[in-house]
Amino acid sequence: MASFKGKFFALVMRNRHLLKGKLKPEVITQDSSIIDMRANIHKSAMKMARKTSGVNVAPADYTGLYAEWLTPDGAPDDTVILYFHGGGFVSGSAKEHRNIVSKFVKRVSVKALVFDYRLAPEHPFPAAMDDSVEIYKWLLEIGYAPERIFFAGDSAGAGLQFSCLLKLKELGIALPKAVIAMSPCVDMTLSGESHTTRLEDDPCTPIGSTETWLGYYVGDGDPKDPLMSPVFADLSGLPPMMIQVGDHETLLSDSLTLAKNAEKAGVDVTLHVWDEMFHCFPLLSPMFKEALHAMDEINDFIWKHIKLSRKV
């Protein structure tokens, strides 16, 4: 059973339209303005973009799209998390995620490189995947060993990192040490039953948003393309992965199917389905106990693999 605070946060999210002075929840269609949505997200994110004490922010010397380093005090020099931001493949940026990722890296005491990738509908698949591959290759070029690199991401970003891994595998490029996925979006066909069974429970996903935004991301492509929808891919050879997902989110089936397929392919999988929790709740740590405990699990997972890599 979820904690009182956990249920309270879910209630707030479910009724956030009332806080905006609207009587009905938001409905997303192809007539909804992407420009307005991005502007609203940016405005809200910048309001929260206070500097996190103990975390240094610096632009990266990357010549592609914008990227920035978030370095907590005392972080090891040889280890980095490549962080894939969420936003339904249509919104989000490194700067807009700075606040939540700063708190993330401060908890795990490992620096992160957070990067922008091209967004749909202007840039459908494979643009974001290609951008991800390029910045990973850049990390290798500037001296980071694959066994010292971790992938982490939330929502669409959590799904994008698996597309990146599969493309790297196809290209014969050494893969990172391990992967942390919070509520990954990995099935562009929306075939999972939770898209129906969790529709009324999910407090975070606006009505119609998944269908609309993934439609933009797919573009003219095939939603069953394994690089676009990793649930249809051969996952053998991928690094150890931790997947965290809430029982009350429409993307639950994506996580369950991905974990099942990865285990069948021989991948070391740690899956935790959190009772009554919602989309990407660990990023709200330490506001309620489930988020705090989920972040503790991520911390333990990362440091277990850091220690293993240093024995090599």
Side-chain angles (χ1 to χ4, degrees):
M1 181 179 294
S3 67
F4 173 78
K5 282 189 176 180
K7 290 181 178 180
F8 174 77
F9 273 93
L11 181 64
V12 169
M13 291 179 181
R14 183 170 285 108
N15 293 284
R16 61 189 181 278
H17 58 284
L18 298 177
L19 300 176
K20 298 178 181 179
K22 299 179 180 180
L23 296 179
K24 295 183 179 180
E26 184 179 18
V27 176
I28 302 293
T29 69
Q30 290 189 351
D31 294 327
S32 302
S33 171
I34 290 284
I35 294 175
D36 288 347
M37 180 192 73
R38 289 173 180 164
N40 290 335
I41 290 173
H42 183 77
K43 182 179 179 180
S44 298
M46 291 302 100
K47 283 183 179 179
M48 299 176 62
R50 303 183 187 91
K51 177 178 172 55
T52 300
S53 62
V55 178
N56 181 64
V57 180
D61 294 327
Y62 180 61
T63 56
L65 297 167
Y66 179 78
E68 63 184 29
W69 298 102
L70 302 177
T71 308
D73 295 343
D77 293 332
D78 64 348
T79 306
V80 62
I81 296 169
L82 184 61
Y83 194 93
F84 296 67
H85 72 75
F89 301 107
V90 301
S91 66
S93 69
K95 290 180 179 178
E96 289 167 5
H97 268 62
R98 181 183 296 164
N99 186 54
I100 58 175
V101 182
S102 290
K103 293 177 180 177
F104 177 92
V105 298
K106 184 175 182 179
R107 175 66 188 89
V108 300
S109 299
V110 176
K111 65 182 169 184
L113 179 65
V114 192
F115 66 102
D116 290 352
Y117 50 83
R118 286 172 292 172
L119 301 172
E122 297 91 340
H123 304 284
F125 179 87
M129 180 186 70
D130 292 342
D131 294 339
S132 304
V133 169
E134 288 305 310
I135 199 163
Y136 176 73
K137 288 164 63 178
W138 179 74
L139 279 176
L140 299 179
E141 289 169 5
I142 64 173
Y144 285 95
E147 62 269 19
R148 302 290 191 271
I149 302 174
F150 292 81
F151 280 6
D154 62 273
S155 193
L160 178 60
Q161 63 186 346
F162 290 106
S163 296
C164 180
L165 287 170
L166 291 165
K167 187 63 177 181
L168 292 171
K169 180 178 126 175
E170 180 182 288
L171 295 171
I173 297 173
L175 302 181
K177 183 64 179 177
V179 188
I180 299 95
M182 292 169 279
S183 302
C185 179
V186 287
D187 180 3
M188 303 307 121
T189 70
L190 302 177
S191 60
E193 65 175 13
S194 61
H195 288 285
T196 300
T197 61
R198 298 301 191 275
L199 192 59
E200 293 184 2
D201 293 327
D202 192 328
C204 300
T205 307
I207 298 170
S209 61
T210 305
E211 297 87 343
T212 302
W213 296 340
L214 296 194
Y216 288 145
Y217 180 62
V218 171
D220 295 329
D222 179 2
K224 287 189 176 181
D225 182 336
L227 290 176
M228 190 189 305
S229 295
V231 291
F232 300 112
D234 172 9
L235 302 175
S236 61
L238 293 194
M241 61 180 71
M242 167 174 274
I243 303 171
Q244 294 188 336
V245 65
D247 183 61
H248 277 190
E249 56 177 300
T250 54
L251 287 176
L252 172 62
S253 292
D254 288 44
S255 290
L256 298 179
T257 303
L258 182 70
K260 179 181 177 181
N261 292 352
E263 287 181 338
K264 284 184 177 180
V267 179
D268 180 0
V269 180
T270 302
L271 169 68
H272 191 162
V273 180
W274 291 78
D275 188 37
E276 298 184 57
M277 284 294 101
F278 46 85
H279 192 59
C280 295
F281 73 93
L283 294 175
L284 293 179
S285 175
M287 294 182 181
F288 51 95
K289 73 175 186 179
E290 290 87 356
L292 179 61
H293 292 168
M295 196 57 69
D296 286 342
E297 284 188 354
I298 291 172
N299 176 75
D300 293 345
F301 178 81
I302 289 175
W303 279 97
K304 179 183 79 171
H305 287 285
I306 287 176
K307 292 173 182 177
L308 288 173
S309 70
R310 287 178 176 166
K311 293 178 181 178
V312 176

